[in-house]
Amino acid sequence: MKDRSTLVAPSILSADFARLGDEVRAVERAGADWIQVDAMDGHFVPNITIGPLVVEALRKVTRLPLDVHLMIENADDYIPAFAKAGADIITVHQEACPHLNRSVALIRELGKKAGVSINPATALETLDFIIGDIDLALLMSVNPGFGGQSLIPSALEKARRLSRIAHERHLALDIQMDGGIKPENAAAVRGAGVNVLVAGSAVFGASDYAAAISSLRG
Ligand code: DX5
């Protein structure tokens, strides 16, 4: 089984976009393990954010893994551009990829780690026939599109089930959760088997980034 040390991936969606490079440097100094970059197209989710150009700019700013979460339709059309821009991990949504096996294969052919994400109401079983082919499963604990929402508790049960499956099938899989994760609930998230915690407002909304990251890591 994979080394299960807890990783913290600040989501830049809650960062000060007028100073994005400085913000990424600041969380790197504060002990972040990954940088999560939320790409949104205004179709799959009701918000529009950034694209490959911003990933390319951030690639010059940090050596941390850039964990790119594609909340977009037609992800296959954009995976090469995000890979070229410097993404290390590219996560697509099961709900947005009709040919998910092909999308995951494309990410890996480009030499990147492949992740698949499911929204809070999407059944874990939708991953049954792809779970063995991915490096990361991202369980959304909010309806994607915005930071600062509350964690949907049913995501914890989903994480517990996925953790059991990964253990039973000896899968070297990162289990990531994203949405509403705070110092107050981080222990419950880790206890559910999540080893990569994504947090936006809990980090970038804090006065002390290092203390926030440390409190999430436990
Ligand atoms: C939501 C994004 C999340 C968000 C998390 O659609 O995918 O990464 O930034 O923000 P918090 O941690 O504030 O819920």
Side-chain angles (χ1 to χ4, degrees), residues 8-12 27 32-37 197-200 203-204 213:
V8 175
S11 159
I12 64 168
V27 292
D33 296 289
W34 298 355
I35 300 294
Q36 201 206 48
V37 181
L197 280 67
V198 176
V203 175
F204 289 107
I213 290 167

Side-chain angles (χ1 to χ4, degrees), residues 60-139:
K60 299 169 188 157
V61 166
T62 180
R63 287 198 301 275
L64 290 181
L66 293 180
D67 169 24
V68 176
H69 177 195
L70 297 183
M71 289 164 275
I72 66 173
E73 293 175 357
N74 305 315
D76 291 9
D77 297 343
Y78 299 95
I79 287 167
F82 279 103
K84 183 166 185 261
D88 296 283
I89 303 154
I90 298 176
T91 296
V92 295
H93 265 264
Q94 181 275 336
E95 304 92 343
C97 294
H99 306 292
L100 187 57
N101 182 285
R102 181 183 294 146
S103 304
V104 165
L106 174 58
I107 294 168
R108 283 188 153 179
E109 282 159 19
L110 292 164
K112 307 302 179 181
K113 287 191 174 181
V116 172
S117 181
I118 53 176
N119 288 330
T122 301
L124 191 58
E125 286 72 16
T126 62
L127 300 181
D128 278 358
F129 296 98
I130 199 70
I131 195 81
D133 300 315
I134 59 178
D135 304 289
L136 176 144
L138 167 53
L139 304 180

Side-chain angles (χ1 to χ4, degrees), residues 151-173:
L151 182 143
I152 297 171
S154 61
L156 297 178
E157 175 52 27
K158 197 185 282 187
R160 281 189 282 272
R161 289 187 195 173
L162 177 56
S163 183
R164 279 197 298 273
I165 291 166
H167 184 75
E168 288 161 6
R169 292 177 53 178
H170 305 289
L171 299 175
L173 181 78

